[in-house]
């Protein structure tokens, strides 16, 4: 499930917000405004539920015995946190008006853009790879964490 904010603000999905993307933030966000009140309700900001296929549903049923608690609320993205200044989970007209300013506040190095780190976004490629990049030299081929004692099995 993806934060609609992320999708709508990061137009080229590189995980960063360019100066242009920030400038267009308010306009872009208003595309989420379905009832035309120039504000975004929690409902309008909710990520769309992906439709489940039958197979997935069956899978869930089979796993019913397992304890599989879901967190009631997904963690807020840094973007939402920055934009929702009164933390009510909605973006009012006022908050949208300040969108550019709020986003600029996340720009710690003052280059007018938000890097992946600053925005908390992930690039498309990173999502596909399914993990954070790096590890660095020696990250591969090392002993497994918490290695087992004893001789290796064959
Ligand atoms: Ca609205
Ligand atoms: Ca708010
Ligand atoms: Ca930056």
């Amino acid at each position: 499930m993806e934060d609609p904010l992320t999708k709508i603000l990061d137009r080229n999905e590189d995980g960063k917000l360019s100066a242009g993307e920030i400038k267009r933030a308010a306009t872009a966000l208003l595309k989420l405004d379905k009832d035309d009140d120039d504000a975004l309700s929690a409902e309008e900001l909710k990520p769309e539920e992906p439709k489940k296929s039958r197979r997935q549903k069956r899978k869930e049923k089979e796993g019913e015995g397992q304890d599989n608690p879901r967190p009631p609320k997904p963690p807020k993205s840094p973007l939402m946190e920055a934009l929702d200044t009164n933390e009510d989970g909605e973006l009012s007209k006022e908050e949208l008006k300040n969108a550019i300013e709020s986003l600029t506040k996340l720009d710690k190095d003052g280059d007018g853009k938000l890097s992946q780190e600053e925005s908390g976004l992930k690039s498309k490629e990173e999502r596909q790879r399914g993990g954070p990049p790096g590890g660095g030299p020696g990250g591969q081929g090392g002993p497994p964490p918490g290695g087992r004692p004893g001789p290796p099995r064959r």
Side-chain angles (χ1 to χ4, degrees), residues 1-18:
M1 198 152 49
E2 217 165 295
D3 192 348
L5 276 184
T6 310
K7 239 191 233 171
I8 212 146
L9 293 177
D10 183 19
R11 294 164 63 109
N12 58 3
E13 295 186 57
D14 64 351
K16 302 167 224 171
L17 293 187
S18 66

Side-chain angles (χ1 to χ4, degrees), residues 1-2 11 14-15 20-21 33 38 62 80 82 102 116-117 132 136 149 152:
M1 198 152 49
E2 217 165 295
R11 294 164 63 109
D14 64 351
E21 283 171 338
D33 180 25
D38 292 335
E62 277 170 6
M80 184 60 191
S102 306
Q116 286 181 30
E117 224 168 82

